[in-house]
Amino acid sequence: MRVNVTVNGEARQADDVWEGESLLYLLRERLGLPGSKNACEQGECGSCTVYLDGTPVCACLVAAGQAEGREVRTVEGLAEGDRLDPVQQSFVDAGAVQCGFCTPGLVVAAHDLLNRVPNPSDEEIREALAGNLCRCTGYEKILDAVRAAAR
């Protein structure tokens, strides 16, 4: 099947998409956007989080065909040209990036939180990031990054 989707503001098309293909595979392998990571393929880790019509979803759980005619925004789409989004920059500045596998999903989740709650409490930050697993950082630098982005 053919899938037509708007990704990061650009109309994109993929042909020969098979019915069991995930949005994550479509983004990474067919459209060349490797930012969202393929970690668990079960929606448990959050590494593949993207916006679908403005709502964060685990791209590994969304069939590529479900994105037909819809808007997807990936971690790459948060930046404006060479200028990182404030959330992306705060992750770099706070040292919240280690291996990088969890980072794209955490950045999208934090971005979504700050769009909804501009000055979140630590409890709100923890709740918003609860679906994202990190095996390297111990989370404190991640919390620091979200706090900094909120400022």
Side-chain angles (χ1 to χ4, degrees):
M1 91 176 108
R2 172 177 288 163
V3 176
N4 296 289
V5 60
T6 301
V7 181
N8 300 329
E10 179 183 341
R12 303 289 299 267
Q13 178 178 297
D15 290 320
D16 301 322
V17 175
W18 59 282
E19 61 190 36
E21 192 168 307
S22 70
L23 175 59
L24 178 61
Y25 186 89
L26 176 84
L27 293 169
R28 289 180 57 82
E29 306 301 329
R30 294 188 182 273
L31 301 180
L33 294 165
S36 303
K37 301 301 182 210
N38 185 2
C40 74
E41 294 186 351
Q42 297 177 3
E44 295 292 328
C45 71
S47 293
C48 65
T49 303
V50 299
Y51 285 109
L52 180 62
D53 291 337
T55 301
V57 299
C58 289
C60 71
L61 296 180
V62 176
Q66 289 178 287
E68 173 66 33
R70 298 175 77 181
E71 299 250 351
V72 174
R73 189 172 182 198
T74 68
V75 69
E76 293 98 335
L78 299 181
E80 292 183 25
D82 291 338
R83 196 174 130 260
L84 294 177
D85 178 85
V87 176
Q88 292 169 314
Q89 189 63 56
S90 71
F91 268 67
V92 173
D93 295 344
V97 178
Q98 286 191 17
C99 85
F101 239 75
C102 67
T103 306
L106 282 162
V107 166
V108 172
H111 185 269
D112 178 62
L113 169 65
L114 295 176
N115 281 337
R116 293 181 291 107
V117 183
N119 190 21
S121 67
D122 280 1
E123 184 177 323
E124 289 170 313
I125 295 170
R126 289 176 193 277
E127 177 69 26
L129 302 183
N132 297 79
L133 300 178
C134 177
R135 292 169 179 87
C136 299
T137 67
Y139 295 99
E140 197 55 45
K141 296 288 186 184
I142 293 166
L143 295 174
D144 291 345
V146 178
R147 290 182 200 116
R151 286 191 294 274

